[in-house]
Amino acid sequence: MENHEHSVQEAVQEMVQTMASKGWRITDQRRSLAALFAEAPGYLSPKDVYESMRQKYPGVSFDTVYRNLRLLSEMGVLEQFYLNDGLKFRARCHSHHHHHMICLQCEKTMPFEFCPMKQLSHLPDDFQIVNHRFEIFGYCPECAGERAATT
Amino acid sequence: MENHEHSVQEAVQEMVQTMASKGWRITDQRRSLAALFAEAPGYLSPKDVYESMRQKYPGVSFDTVYRNLRLLSEMGVLEQFYLNDGLKFRARCHSHHHHHMICLQCEKTMPFEFCPMKQLSHLPDDFQIVNHRFEIFGYCPECAGERAATT
DNA sequence: CTGCCTGCAAAGGCTTTGCATAGGT
DNA sequence: ACCTATGCAAAGCCTTTGCAGGCAG
């Protein structure tokens, strides 16, 4: 939309190349799917994806959407997340490690740099850490504004 | 099992009283359900709960389990959590604020005190924070041992 | 041309809902 | 006695699977 136009293109290319490198066929739909996630500011449900794809491919079916979401997740291009109202997907961040603030209304995500694991000490040291999760939920500036206005 | 026998009883009482105070009937099954969660060291799936309840009440039905899990969640007695393999429940911690380490194998949870929000500064201050989530995933001492032994 | 990808249809899980009966208050 | 909670059955999602035809490589 603004000046990240370039990185969106890059992201699509990266996803497509990942698919191709694993021997998957690059269909129009899969390219569109990659573009959809590259541009999405937040999480998308299978239904969101279906609705969105249907505008361009009226005959698209739910099972194809599910198949590709699943495959893209298994391959690490997308990441799954259970928000309160079900399973959602977003492009996985391949850049440096960071965490997100997630808007409870529009589900847009905003990255921030602080990682609690750096500060963390004296845990029981016999617990073998594999990964972690840290998210802050709330309302983004736009949604917070709306809510304040209508209340 | 050991010396937290007392607090388990207390927890059951607390849950039962919460139900009663909202005008709900205290059936044997609901009391058992409360006991089940008071004693559970980690997360339970609806199926786990069903299997467990069935031992005591062979005629129990899945829909009753779901109904009560839902009601207890809405009332704040239980909390829901999507682990990788589906929706799970556990008794909500009513004590002081803390976070958990969660074992990827046995799904047992272990509390710890560190909260990243205390350390957190310079987030975009126009994001209106509502709540947050911080979990560390890995293997608990027992499961880590098993894994090391069998590998 | 070959074999994966798609759309269709149907099945599979998990969860919810409607109704008559059992049971708490 | 009243009214909620339960069990049964069926329906409702959401997601996956099997199959024949279409399309990328």
Side-chain angles (χ1 to χ4, degrees):
Chain A
M1 302 295 163
E2 307 107 50
N3 63 350
H4 60 274
E5 197 65 33
H6 181 61
S7 60
V8 167
Q9 292 303 330
E10 279 182 349
V12 173
Q13 270 313 308
E14 198 180 311
M15 294 193 219
V16 167
Q17 281 174 20
T18 305
M19 290 195 253
S21 72
K22 306 245 178 180
W24 297 14
R25 306 233 164 123
I26 308 307
T27 63
D28 283 356
Q29 292 192 13
R30 283 184 174 165
R31 200 184 300 276
S32 295
L33 199 58
L36 178 60
F37 278 104
E39 287 168 9
Y43 289 91
L44 298 175
S45 68
K47 195 171 187 173
D48 294 335
V49 174
Y50 173 68
E51 297 296 347
S52 186
M53 291 289 286
R54 208 159 55 140
Q55 295 179 8
K56 202 167 176 182
Y57 307 93
V60 73
S61 63
F62 246 114
D63 44 68
T64 299
V65 169
Y66 275 111
R67 260 189 295 248
N68 285 326
L69 287 177
R70 175 190 254 273
L71 289 170
L72 285 169
S73 298
E74 284 174 357
M75 157 183 328
V77 171
L78 297 182
E79 64 183 23
Q80 306 183 7
F81 201 101
Y82 273 99
L83 260 16
N84 286 330
D85 54 340
L87 185 57
K88 308 259 170 149
F89 295 81
R90 58 165 283 151
R92 187 167 156 207
C93 300
H94 283 285
S95 58
H96 63 292
H97 178 75
H98 60 263
H99 296 277
H100 292 107
M101 296 181 289
I102 302 175
C103 179
L104 292 167
Q105 184 160 304
C106 68
E107 292 186 346
K108 187 163 48 188
T109 64
M110 306 162 69
F112 61 86
E113 300 306 319
F114 173 83
C115 175
M117 298 308 277
K118 289 174 189 153
Q119 314 282 324
L120 201 50
S121 54
H122 48 71
L123 284 180
D125 53 19
D126 45 3
F127 188 89
Q128 183 187 330
I129 295 175
V130 173
N131 56 34
H132 64 283
R133 241 169 119 142
F134 178 40
E135 285 100 25
I136 298 177
F137 296 93
Y139 296 100
C140 71
E142 295 78 41
C143 292
E146 280 177 30
R147 288 168 56 84
T150 58
T151 311
Chain B
M1 300 295 165
E2 309 105 50
N3 65 350
H4 59 275
E5 197 64 33
H6 180 62
S7 60
V8 167
Q9 293 304 331
E10 279 183 348
V12 173
Q13 270 313 310
E14 198 180 310
M15 294 193 220
V16 167
Q17 280 174 19
T18 305
M19 291 193 253
S21 71
K22 305 246 180 177
W24 298 13
R25 306 231 165 126
I26 307 307
T27 63
D28 283 356
Q29 292 193 12
R30 284 184 174 164
R31 200 183 299 275
S32 296
L33 199 59
L36 179 60
F37 278 103
E39 287 168 9
Y43 289 90
L44 298 175
S45 68
K47 195 171 187 174
D48 294 335
V49 175
Y50 174 68
E51 297 297 346
S52 186
M53 291 290 286
R54 210 160 53 143
Q55 294 179 9
K56 202 166 175 181
Y57 307 94
V60 72
S61 62
F62 246 114
D63 45 68
T64 301
V65 169
Y66 277 111
R67 261 189 295 248
N68 284 327
L69 288 177
R70 175 190 253 274
L71 289 170
L72 285 170
S73 298
E74 285 173 356
M75 157 186 327
V77 171
L78 297 181
E79 65 185 21
Q80 305 184 6
F81 200 100
Y82 273 100
L83 260 16
N84 286 329
D85 54 339
L87 186 57
K88 307 259 169 147
F89 296 81
R90 59 165 283 153
R92 186 167 157 205
C93 301
H94 284 285
S95 59
H96 63 292
H97 179 76
H98 60 264
H99 297 276
H100 292 107
M101 294 181 290
I102 303 176
C103 179
L104 292 167
Q105 185 161 303
C106 69
E107 294 186 345
K108 187 164 47 189
T109 64
M110 306 162 70
F112 60 86
E113 301 305 319
F114 173 83
C115 175
M117 298 309 277
K118 288 173 189 154
Q119 312 284 324
L120 202 48
S121 54
H122 49 70
L123 283 180
D125 52 20
D126 46 2
F127 187 90
Q128 185 186 331
I129 295 174
V130 173
N131 56 33
H132 65 282
R133 214 165 161 142
F134 178 40
E135 285 102 23
I136 297 178
F137 296 93
Y139 297 101
C140 70
E142 295 78 40
C143 292
E146 280 177 30
R147 288 169 57 85
T150 59
T151 311

